[in-house]
Amino acid sequence: MLSYILKRIGLLIPTLLGVITLVFFMISLSPGDPARVMLGERASAEQLEKLREDLGLDRPLHQQYFSYLSRIVRLDFGKSITTGRPVIEEIGQLFPATMELAFFAMLLASGLGIIIGVVSATKRNTPLDYASMIGALFGVSMPVFWLGLVLIMIFSVGLDLLPTGGRMNIRLYMETFTNFYIIDALIALFRKGDITYLGSALKHLILPAAALGTIPLAIIARTTRSSMLEVLKQDYIKTARAAGIPEGKIIFRYALKNALLPIITVIGIQFGLLLSGAILTETIFAWPGIGKWIYHSISARDYPAVQGGIIIISTVFVVINLLVDILYSVVNPRVRLS
Amino acid sequence: MKKHDQTTTANLLEIQDLSVHFNTQRGVVKAVRDLSLTIKKEETLALVGESGCGKSVTAHSINGLIPVPPGIIEKGKIIFEGENLLQKTEKEMQHIRGVRISMIFQEPMTSLNPVFTIGRQIADVFLTHHDIPREEAFSRAVNLLDMVKIPSPETRAKSYPHQLSGGMRQRAMIAMALASPEPGLMIADEPTTALDVTIQAQILRLMVSLKKRVGMSLLLITHDMGVVAETADRVIVMYAGRKVEEADVYSLFDKPAHPYTLGLLNSLPSNRKYAGASRLEAIPGTVPDLLTINDGCPFANRCPRAGDICRSVFPGETPLTEHHSVWCHNHVR
Amino acid sequence: MNDTLIVKDPTPFQEILHELSKNKAAVAGLIIIALFLLIGILAPLIAPKDPFAQEISLRKLPPFSPGYILGSDDLGRDMLSRLMYGARISMIIGVISVGIAMGSGLLIGVTAGYIGGWYDRIVMRLIDIMLAFPYILLTIVIVAVLGPSLFNAMVAIGVSQIPRYARLVRASVLAEKEADYVTAERSLGASPLSLMFLSILPNCLAPVSVQATLGVGEAILSSAALSFLGLGAQPPTPEWGLMIASSREFITNAWWIVTFPGLATLLAVLGFNLFGDGLRDVLDPKLRE
Amino acid sequence: MSDKSILRVQNLKTYFDVHNERGEKAHLKAVDDVSFTIREGEILGVVGESGCGKSTLGRTVLRLEEKRGGTVMYRETDLFGLDHRELRAARKKLQMIFQDPSSSLNPRKKVSSLISQPLKIHRTGTPEEIQDRVDALMEEVGLNPLYRRRFPHQFSGGQRQRIGIARALALNPEFIVCDEAVSALDVSVQAQILNLLLDLQDRHRLTYMFISHDLSVVEFISSRILVMYLGKIVEIADKKDLMKNPLHPYTKALFAAYPDADPKNRKEDRMLVMGDVPSPINPPRGCHFHPRCPFAKPVCTEVYPGNTNAEPGHTVACHLYST
């Protein structure tokens, strides 16, 4: 078991190296001159030359690559061209916002998704099943950014119930410790007994989390249903029935534990995808997270920022997938014990 | 419960005129037709026939495991200890299944839940039917594993199914079936088909000895005439959903009366008559399609003795001796 | 031998068609797809107006205005005509992206699965690296490198979808390679190329065709997303995602400009998903009963 | 039957790379140092339980698996010494019939193209000639040629096996490995196929290597029988010798365990071997059978026994008989 985990971690390193390499060469070989972008159209030839030298762009590509690698190992992604701040600092500040959004979207998606899937599977071919599965089908077919706009149109513009964007009412000032606003708001609640922060943070979270969680919700519901149906057909379910085990126990203990194995994998993959799906959601809801930031960096051709952002998101994605694999093998005795 | 104490030959289970159909995309499959049988207390009844003859469907009808739909119990009664099981609610059936009728299946690998230890799975059966603490259920499970001769049962109880060999798994399945409080009937659906022959011999011997020790009846579903000869008291031969012959095991092997039974025995390469022979007496042709089958004798298209009447009318019972009946217009004399 | 049995026997393909025709989801999906394809092909003939023609005096007309059934957008262009041309663009995007992805994925998957060894290990490592990027991010990176345009968006979507085909095909090839029929044909002296492409590949196509159907839907969604971010189609192209993007500021006063392109996307993708689901139910023997 | 050998197998080894319980790399010695010959025109039965390596042996003698050591001589040629083209030519004479007829026939091909495939691969004749040959082959194995445009799944199990046999016969082979060829069939159909195989053997003077786990089938069809246990041959003898006088304790156990289809011969007091077949990845030291053997001596736990010629043509690998 331990050796399996170590082996998986070992496999992580070449993959991440590949990611870094790919990002580096794609960005370096793409058309456009970073120095020109940084200095603008009116810069003189000498100025450009000088900056290229400073950035090391005049050196051969392989030298640039190795110096880039050595800096990344030290978590130095360079400075953002647009803001001039170190990329890693910006990421550190924005990352909690994205994680918070993704976490709540996933909580919503997996909680509801599993319930809907199990109910659908046990009430197979009833109107309830059809309704949930048609709903799920709409969910996976939905353009997320459009859903976000429609939600704003209905709940913010039409009904005026929820804010259109941001993480908190701009008139509120909250002390931040973790940059996870829900946690910070809870701290404020305990220290000052003031619930307005938490209320505002939650209100701002609802729509983006709903928009971001829709696709995973639909996918998890569908996976759960088909996985449950598959498990319920197995011989060991027949055995349990033949032994007189009550149906409720068969479904929630015997079947669900087996059915959860593929669901765990799907939840892991979806969580990783949420991080990149956040690019669209954050843009629509003006959520100051890493997705919105990457989008702006791409528009501004801010190469260090783009590189840093992509590498961080991919790393998190790969690490989540690894954790899910390990979790899978812990839950599944067949893998754990072989 | 008084009925129990009558003579030991009292019928434990009686099936009357059972017909089971399945609705498939291609049409209605008449899997079992007009089947009647009885199982006496403490006897072993073998239901034998080739694939698709309806033997497993019959077994699954008894403990209500036919999926409805697509299955339909067209007609018939299944009377177990005086009560018709087909009129029971799902709740009542759950109780009967766990308490009085247990079942073991062909594939011991897929019949055990892969994510629970076998001790836990057996203990769960105890916990369902008894109000006892978890630890006691587990130690009873260990006792049962010992009873089915699994070596070092304490450690094995903590194993997952994939850590056991095929034979061990089938022993664990048997232990689970014995976890019912008062096992009356054990249905064994091809219990040794997936096993090697040396393991099969061990499992058959174990089942026979447990049957005597616990005092239960055994319904053995198999396609293997050798297994029948080794273990059964009485035999019912099925072909394409119909019962064609019923006899005590000695009469059946000694004087098979139905042309199909005879053909089946002749098809066995191990039949004593083939010492030195160079060819087998095979039954020509193939089993009819259950979708298009008519009301005649289903064996008529392969039968050397078939006449016109065989193709249109299924024959009634012809009693040959007290324990031997055949359903055939021109049975072997 | 029973000679009455020799009626015309359906080929496997005919059987699949027959099963599909009984699957309500598949039929519904197919109708939707056909509708969008037809609208896309016939757009120049059936569109009531020029999709690019601006009519400043008739801006933001609500639906059911005379001559503008679905209203007009912020520049006074006919919504319906633009949506029809959008169908054309989306169908092309779907087909080309999936074509790129499936073609390369099949080739990579079959060879990696059949040849194995070092070749397989290297190819799969590269695929793993691609899979280390979340899908949307990968398309965005590729477009960012190639430069924003509709064609580059198609290429990006196609390339980003290669890994799933490669892995799917490789997995089925690995399973099929061990099947007895392959050993049987090997024992008859069949060559590796014929084994790979004539024997094994046709037996791996069922999951691929399901994936391809679902992939078209996803490609439409992705291209809409890229255009929404300004990385795909450029104005004034009547691409649905771009139409949604340029309508953002009107959510307070002209709901139709936002709603209709989104609904069109939703419906088109739904069609492919319905058909893909139906196809999977028919092709997957595990789900058949 | 002549005394000329058609196939000589010497010290053949087929290993697979696997991982053991602890995840370490290990060899699965599916076939471990096996030697025997097959004589022209005979039926050599190979019997053993699951995991004994009998199927791997069958595949390796046709070079469908790569060997780890030893030689397979088909007449005068070393099968493993051939290059691809020579091997392809040799395959005409060496054929195989598989266990599960539904998986050994490509589900996407029609019967006619399945049976004609070997003819096309080896370019034997015009399309018309091939068509005629297909019809003749179908007739020969008892299939109506009118069925030629059907797909395999439209046939019953027995008919599918006939298709497989027709295909194996297409190139007029002289040696056929039948790997569990009747195991997936119902008894009444099994009898038909066994008869068919015997008819074909007579008519075309074929040699069979007949692999099966079913002792009664092997006993009926074979002229000589080879018993395998965990990758090793434990006993070879003419059928009559083996049935009359089985020597190896494993062979005896196999015979004892086989249920007799006659209730009058119930062997309630027969001796059964206890325990399970050990994993072939990590077989017991010494004689692989010793943990289950009632006659095991100290030497059996240490040294794998050599072959002993108990009587002419009857070889056994057991310390009880070594001198």
Side-chain angles (χ1 to χ4, degrees):
Chain A
M1 184 61 200
L2 191 69
S3 71
Y4 169 79
I5 293 174
L6 289 176
K7 213 170 132 191
R8 285 302 318 261
I9 294 175
L11 277 175
L12 207 64
I13 292 162
T15 307
L16 286 179
L17 193 68
V19 167
I20 294 165
T21 310
L22 201 65
V23 171
F24 174 82
F25 282 103
M26 279 171 84
I27 302 285
S28 312
L29 299 175
S30 67
D33 178 357
R36 170 73 74 191
V37 174
M38 287 168 89
L39 296 175
E41 289 302 317
R42 272 174 293 165
S44 69
E46 292 80 44
Q47 281 175 304
L48 285 172
E49 198 58 41
K50 171 88 173 46
L51 184 66
R52 285 205 192 101
E53 216 168 289
D54 289 349
L55 291 173
L57 293 175
D58 55 339
R59 287 184 295 159
L61 204 56
H62 67 271
Q63 280 186 19
Q64 289 185 43
Y65 171 64
F66 286 114
S67 80
Y68 183 72
L69 263 188
S70 73
R71 283 191 288 122
I72 283 188
V73 174
R74 287 176 271 128
L75 282 180
D76 174 6
F77 293 95
K79 281 182 185 159
S80 161
I81 295 173
T82 38
T83 63
R85 293 175 55 202
V87 168
I88 191 73
E89 255 178 47
E90 300 231 3
I91 290 173
Q93 204 169 18
L94 299 170
F95 202 67
T98 300
M99 281 306 277
E100 185 174 83
L101 178 57
F103 178 78
F104 279 93
M106 207 59 222
L107 202 66
L108 181 88
S110 41
L112 263 178
I114 291 175
I115 293 170
I116 292 174
V118 170
V119 170
S120 255
T122 49
K123 305 264 178 242
R124 195 184 177 189
N125 294 342
T126 61
L128 192 66
D129 176 29
Y130 292 135
S132 350
M133 283 308 113
I134 290 173
L137 206 60
F138 271 88
V140 289
S141 310
M142 194 84 79
V144 184
F145 50 96
W146 176 72
L147 176 67
L149 290 177
V150 170
L151 288 176
I152 293 175
M153 208 156 73
I154 297 173
F155 292 99
S156 309
V157 179
L159 302 172
D160 198 17
L161 285 175
L162 296 165
T164 58
R167 293 180 77 187
M168 184 161 283
N169 193 326
I170 38 169
R171 267 164 296 180
L172 288 173
Y173 175 77
M174 183 175 70
E175 263 186 292
T176 54
F177 303 96
T178 59
N179 254 333
F180 291 93
Y181 274 21
I182 298 295
I183 295 174
D184 288 338
L186 281 172
I187 294 172
L189 176 63
F190 286 121
R191 283 182 27 174
K192 299 186 198 152
D194 191 348
I195 202 163
T196 40
Y197 297 107
L198 187 63
S200 178
L202 282 174
K203 260 185 163 177
H204 281 78
L205 191 60
I206 291 175
L207 287 187
L212 189 58
T214 299
I215 290 185
L217 167 64
I219 290 177
I220 290 168
R222 280 155 59 100
T223 313
T224 307
R225 178 177 181 271
S226 62
S227 171
M228 274 301 275
L229 287 178
E230 185 62 36
V231 169
L232 286 173
K233 268 192 297 196
Q234 297 299 314
D235 284 348
Y236 53 80
I237 297 299
K238 215 160 55 173
T239 308
R241 287 202 178 120
I245 309 269
E247 194 62 22
K249 194 171 173 181
I250 289 179
I251 287 167
F252 288 104
R253 282 261 295 287
Y254 279 52
L256 190 58
K257 191 166 177 195
N258 281 284
L260 273 177
L261 294 171
I263 301 171
I264 289 174
T265 311
V266 168
I267 288 179
I269 292 171
Q270 290 303 319
F271 191 75
L273 292 179
L274 278 190
L275 294 175
S276 61
I279 294 179
L280 290 160
T281 315
E282 290 180 0
T283 309
I284 293 164
F285 289 97
W287 189 268
I290 210 158
K292 182 163 167 276
W293 176 72
I294 287 187
Y295 167 60
H296 284 298
S297 306
I298 289 173
S299 317
R301 299 207 149 256
D302 185 346
Y303 294 116
V306 173
Q307 282 178 332
I310 292 167
I311 288 170
I312 288 292
I313 287 194
S314 296
T315 307
V316 174
F317 182 55
V318 171
V319 169
I320 287 173
N321 283 346
L322 173 76
L323 291 177
V324 166
D325 273 5
I326 292 173
L327 182 67
Y328 180 92
S329 60
V330 169
V331 178
N332 188 350
R334 275 173 152 155
V335 182
R336 179 180 0 135
L337 300 167
S338 64
Chain B
M1 283 293 128
K2 224 180 163 194
K3 265 177 120 180
H4 277 215
D5 307 328
Q6 290 176 354
T7 58
T8 45
T9 52
N11 289 343
L12 181 72
L13 179 91
E14 197 174 336
I15 296 182
Q16 295 171 357
D17 271 335
L18 180 74
S19 290
V20 185
H21 294 183
F22 284 88
N23 284 322
T24 68
Q25 292 183 336
R26 291 170 57 222
V28 177
V29 171
K30 294 171 180 169
V32 174
R33 293 207 278 174
D34 308 326
L35 180 86
S36 299
L37 63 81
T38 55
I39 301 175
K40 299 187 186 69
K41 283 198 71 185
E42 297 185 26
E43 82 167 341
T44 302
L45 174 70
L47 215 50
V48 69
E50 296 176 291
S51 45
C53 72
K55 53 191 193 299
S56 287
V57 173
T58 308
H60 283 88
S61 315
I62 296 172
N63 58 9
L65 289 179
I66 297 276
V68 182
I72 313 162
I73 310 270
E74 267 293 305
K75 64 179 172 78
K77 286 182 185 159
I78 299 176
I79 296 164
F80 182 74
E81 297 186 319
E83 293 179 88
N84 187 355
L85 296 185
L86 295 177
Q87 286 168 349
K88 297 275 175 194
T89 63
E90 176 57 33
K91 241 276 111 72
E92 290 167 329
M93 271 316 288
Q94 258 172 32
H95 184 71
I96 290 168
R97 280 206 285 262
V99 177
R100 298 289 287 147
I101 304 178
S102 51
M103 185 150 184
I104 53 180
F105 299 93
Q106 174 175 355
E107 282 293 339
M109 179 69 235
T110 56
S111 301
L112 289 164
N113 198 323
V115 298
F116 296 118
T117 62
I118 57 166
R120 161 91 188 272
Q121 290 182 56
I122 299 170
D124 263 357
V125 182
F126 279 119
L127 290 171
T128 307
H129 303 296
H130 297 271
D131 194 14
I132 50 171
R134 192 158 272 284
E135 296 75 38
E136 197 191 328
F138 197 82
S139 71
R140 284 200 195 179
V142 173
N143 286 343
L144 275 184
L145 291 176
D146 192 36
M147 192 164 150
V148 297
K149 302 210 175 77
I150 286 186
S152 50
E154 292 86 6
T155 36
R156 278 306 173 196
K158 294 185 191 109
S159 301
Y160 288 90
H162 74 273
Q163 295 172 303
L164 304 183
S165 66
M168 290 289 185
R169 281 185 214 126
Q170 199 57 299
R171 284 172 196 271
M173 278 295 297
I174 295 173
M176 201 163 155
L178 292 173
S180 301
E182 358 162 18
L185 174 65
M186 183 188 278
I187 303 172
D189 188 359
E190 303 270 7
T192 57
T193 305
L195 303 175
D196 276 323
V197 58
T198 56
I199 311 298
Q200 161 171 297
Q202 298 168 9
I203 297 289
L204 288 179
R205 178 175 284 186
L206 174 71
M207 281 174 48
V208 170
S209 77
L210 286 174
K211 191 198 88 167
K212 283 186 191 138
R213 188 163 152 194
V214 183
M216 60 184 177
S217 309
L218 184 61
L219 176 61
L220 180 68
I221 315 284
T222 182
H223 69 280
D224 188 330
M225 288 309 246
V227 171
V228 173
E230 290 268 328
T231 44
D233 298 324
R234 274 191 318 122
V235 187
I236 287 176
V237 182
M238 288 185 76
Y239 185 79
R242 298 270 198 189
K243 173 164 81 169
V244 296
E245 188 163 4
E246 175 169 4
D248 66 281
V249 68
Y250 295 99
S251 312
L252 189 92
F253 281 84
D254 208 29
K255 292 196 187 89
H258 198 282
Y260 173 65
T261 315
L262 181 65
L264 204 57
L265 289 172
N266 279 342
S267 296
L268 295 175
S270 60
N271 196 318
R272 291 283 163 222
K273 68 194 263 190
Y274 291 127
S278 70
R279 295 292 184 276
L280 300 166
E281 281 175 44
I283 310 175
T286 49
V287 180
D289 188 347
L290 290 177
L291 281 166
T292 53
I293 202 162
N294 66 7
D295 287 335
C297 172
F299 190 58
N301 69 330
R302 301 172 77 184
C303 183
R305 308 169 74 96
D308 283 343
I309 186 163
C310 299
R311 287 179 236 286
S312 52
V313 182
F314 188 76
E317 177 176 359
T318 310
L320 302 172
T321 69
E322 195 190 338
H323 302 294
H324 194 169
S325 290
V326 64
W327 284 256
C328 179
H329 293 295
N330 306 310
H331 67 83
V332 185
R333 275 161 229 271
Chain C
M1 293 290 146
N2 192 342
D3 286 70
T4 55
L5 282 174
I6 310 171
V7 278
K8 268 215 154 173
D9 284 308
T11 63
F13 183 69
Q14 285 170 328
E15 258 178 38
I16 289 169
L17 275 189
H18 181 68
E19 297 284 321
L20 269 180
S21 68
K22 286 194 295 187
N23 185 312
K24 283 186 204 118
V27 172
L30 203 59
I31 290 173
I32 296 175
I33 295 172
L35 207 67
F36 274 95
L37 270 179
L38 217 60
I39 291 173
I41 293 166
L42 299 178
L45 298 175
I46 57 173
K49 293 200 163 53
D50 177 354
F52 301 102
Q54 303 180 6
E55 194 67 64
I56 305 298
S57 57
L58 299 173
R59 284 182 304 170
K60 295 201 240 170
L61 288 177
F64 302 114
S65 306
Y68 293 85
I69 302 174
L70 295 181
S72 67
D73 68 5
D74 55 312
L75 295 173
R77 294 173 295 198
D78 179 33
M79 287 294 290
L80 180 62
S81 304
R82 286 181 70 74
L83 288 175
M84 285 177 159
Y85 275 86
R88 182 175 216 169
I89 294 169
S90 288
M91 293 296 134
I92 293 173
I93 290 168
V95 171
I96 292 187
S97 322
V98 169
I100 294 173
M102 195 168 71
S104 336
L106 278 180
L107 203 66
I108 294 171
V110 171
T111 48
Y114 190 84
I115 296 167
W118 274 109
Y119 173 75
D120 178 42
R121 246 173 277 171
I122 290 169
V123 168
M124 283 301 124
R125 262 289 73 116
L126 292 176
I127 294 286
D128 277 350
I129 290 170
M130 283 179 82
L131 283 171
F133 296 91
Y135 168 72
I136 301 174
L137 194 64
L138 186 59
T139 55
I140 289 175
V141 174
I142 297 173
V143 176
V145 170
L146 298 176
S149 82
L150 191 58
F151 179 77
N152 288 345
M154 289 186 224
V155 173
I157 295 165
V159 171
S160 311
Q161 286 194 2
I162 290 176
R164 56 184 81 172
Y165 293 94
R167 289 188 120 188
L168 192 67
V169 174
R170 177 176 172 271
S172 2
V173 169
L174 283 180
E176 294 289 329
K177 188 166 87 162
E178 300 302 320
D180 276 345
Y181 74 89
V182 179
T183 315
E185 296 184 5
R186 205 147 57 89
S187 78
L188 300 172
S191 70
L193 269 184
S194 112
L195 283 176
M196 248 188 274
F197 291 100
L198 298 179
S199 300
I200 297 178
L201 187 59
N203 283 296
C204 301
L205 286 181
V208 174
S209 57
V210 174
Q211 178 65 61
T213 314
L214 300 174
V216 173
E218 199 173 347
I220 293 173
L221 276 184
S222 315
S223 97
L226 288 176
S227 299
F228 179 81
L229 292 174
L231 297 168
Q234 300 298 318
T237 317
E239 204 271 354
W240 293 335
L242 189 61
M243 288 167 75
I244 298 172
S246 49
S247 68
R248 278 180 71 181
E249 44 194 300
F250 310 113
I251 54 173
T252 48
N253 55 20
W255 59 270
W256 59 93
I257 307 183
V258 191
T259 308
F260 291 138
L263 277 181
T265 317
L266 173 61
L267 202 62
V269 177
L270 190 69
F272 285 99
N273 282 341
L274 274 170
F275 186 64
D277 277 4
L279 202 59
R280 172 165 43 209
D281 290 350
V282 170
L283 292 179
D284 188 347
K286 267 196 303 187
L287 294 170
R288 264 207 239 178
E289 270 163 51
Chain D
M1 202 195 301
S2 71
D3 278 343
K4 238 170 89 186
S5 74
I6 193 164
L7 204 75
R8 268 202 332 278
V9 174
Q10 227 140 43
N11 304 101
L12 189 66
K13 293 177 184 150
T14 314
Y15 295 174
F16 297 110
D17 292 328
V18 290
H19 295 274
N20 65 12
E21 309 85 88
R22 268 163 283 131
E24 296 153 357
K25 280 202 175 139
H27 291 310
L28 191 162
K29 299 181 176 177
V31 174
D32 194 13
D33 204 0
V34 158
S35 306
F36 62 97
T37 58
I38 301 179
R39 298 181 211 128
E40 206 171 278
E42 79 167 343
I43 300 182
L44 175 71
V46 177
V47 71
E49 294 177 284
S50 53
C52 72
K54 54 190 189 301
S55 284
T56 309
L57 177 62
R59 293 158 68 104
T60 315
V61 301
L62 294 185
R63 204 181 155 181
L64 292 168
E65 301 286 353
E66 285 307 312
K67 60 160 190 179
R68 195 58 69 95
T71 53
V72 176
M73 298 294 291
Y74 161 61
R75 296 203 182 274
E76 303 309 319
T77 44
D78 177 1
L79 271 191
F80 283 93
L82 301 179
D83 67 22
H84 281 294
R85 192 171 308 151
E86 292 164 343
L87 181 65
R88 194 191 258 207
R91 288 215 187 286
K92 282 194 201 178
K93 293 289 159 200
L94 308 168
Q95 288 295 323
M96 183 149 178
I97 299 169
F98 293 83
Q99 167 172 17
D100 185 351
S102 54
S103 72
S104 62
L105 302 173
N106 192 332
R108 301 197 179 267
K109 289 186 175 162
K110 294 194 180 93
V111 173
S112 56
S113 73
L114 284 167
I115 299 178
S116 64
Q117 192 185 12
L119 302 166
K120 287 180 184 150
I121 290 172
H122 295 280
R123 298 200 180 81
T124 57
T126 64
E128 291 75 36
E129 285 166 5
I130 287 178
Q131 164 89 44
D132 291 346
R133 178 86 178 113
V134 168
D135 286 0
L137 283 163
M138 287 182 76
E139 299 259 17
E140 171 150 32
V141 299
L143 288 169
N144 189 334
L146 289 173
Y147 290 133
R148 72 175 85 80
R149 298 174 62 77
R150 284 192 169 192
F151 288 89
H153 71 272
Q154 293 164 321
F155 290 87
S156 69
Q159 289 170 319
R160 281 198 285 251
Q161 196 55 292
R162 289 175 197 269
I163 301 171
I165 293 172
R167 181 170 62 171
L169 282 181
L171 295 163
N172 294 316
E174 51 176 20
F175 174 67
I176 299 182
V177 173
C178 306
D179 184 6
E180 302 274 10
V182 296
S183 306
L185 305 174
D186 276 325
V187 189
S188 68
V189 179
Q190 169 178 299
Q192 298 170 3
I193 302 295
L194 287 175
N195 284 346
L196 174 66
L197 287 172
L198 286 168
D199 290 344
L200 295 171
Q201 191 217 9
D202 277 356
R203 218 175 299 150
H204 300 283
R205 307 187 32 231
L206 298 168
T207 306
Y208 291 147
M209 177 167 164
F210 193 94
I211 299 165
S212 177
H213 70 282
D214 189 332
L215 192 64
S216 70
V217 172
V218 169
E219 181 188 335
F220 171 75
I221 200 167
S222 314
S223 43
R224 219 149 50 91
I225 295 178
L226 184 163
V227 184
M228 283 187 82
Y229 188 75
L230 286 177
K232 297 273 195 187
I233 295 178
V234 296
E235 192 163 1
I236 313 182
D238 277 352
K239 170 167 74 178
K240 289 197 183 92
D241 292 341
L242 193 76
M243 304 319 292
K244 209 165 31 180
N245 185 23
L247 295 176
H248 199 285
Y250 176 65
T251 315
K252 290 179 181 167
L254 210 55
F255 284 16
Y258 197 83
D260 194 331
D262 187 348
K264 279 177 291 194
N265 299 334
R266 279 192 187 174
K267 300 177 243 179
E268 272 166 21
D269 51 347
R270 68 188 152 166
M271 178 207 74
L272 293 182
V273 285
M274 295 318 289
D276 284 313
V277 183
S279 155
I281 296 175
N282 193 13
R285 269 168 62 95
C287 172
H288 297 343
F289 188 60
H290 84 256
R292 303 174 76 193
C293 180
F295 312 109
K297 302 186 286 187
V299 62
C300 302
T301 62
E302 293 297 329
V303 186
Y304 193 85
N307 287 328
T308 310
N309 256 324
E311 43 191 300
H314 192 155
T315 312
V316 60
C318 176
H319 287 298
L320 293 177
Y321 304 96
S322 52
T323 40

